[in-house]
Amino acid sequence: MRRSRVALEWHFDPATARQLDALIEGLSIHRALENVKRCATEASSNPSLRNN
């Protein structure tokens, strides 16, 4: 986390870099959870993927 913030500080002031770092991390988490939810939904709606 610190390395990404330092890299962002090369281009932005520290406060903006901190906010951008949080945004990027949050978007990554949301995308990962969206994929998990989508996989679970697809599995439950597709009979060939269900455990019998």
Side-chain angles (χ1 to χ4, degrees):
M1 198 164 47
R2 177 76 183 137
R3 288 191 316 186
S4 63
R5 193 174 306 149
V6 168
L8 286 168
E9 286 177 1
W10 291 346
H11 307 282
F12 303 98
D13 64 272
T16 302
R18 198 169 40 254
Q19 292 174 349
L20 286 171
D21 189 47
L23 174 68
I24 293 165
E25 186 174 333
L27 291 173
S28 301
I29 291 170
H30 279 273
R31 185 168 176 101
L33 293 176
E34 179 182 291
N35 289 338
V36 169
K37 184 177 178 182
R38 185 180 310 135
C39 290
T41 302
E42 289 171 358
S44 66
S45 65
N46 188 339
S48 66
L49 296 175
R50 291 185 194 149
N51 292 334
N52 293 337

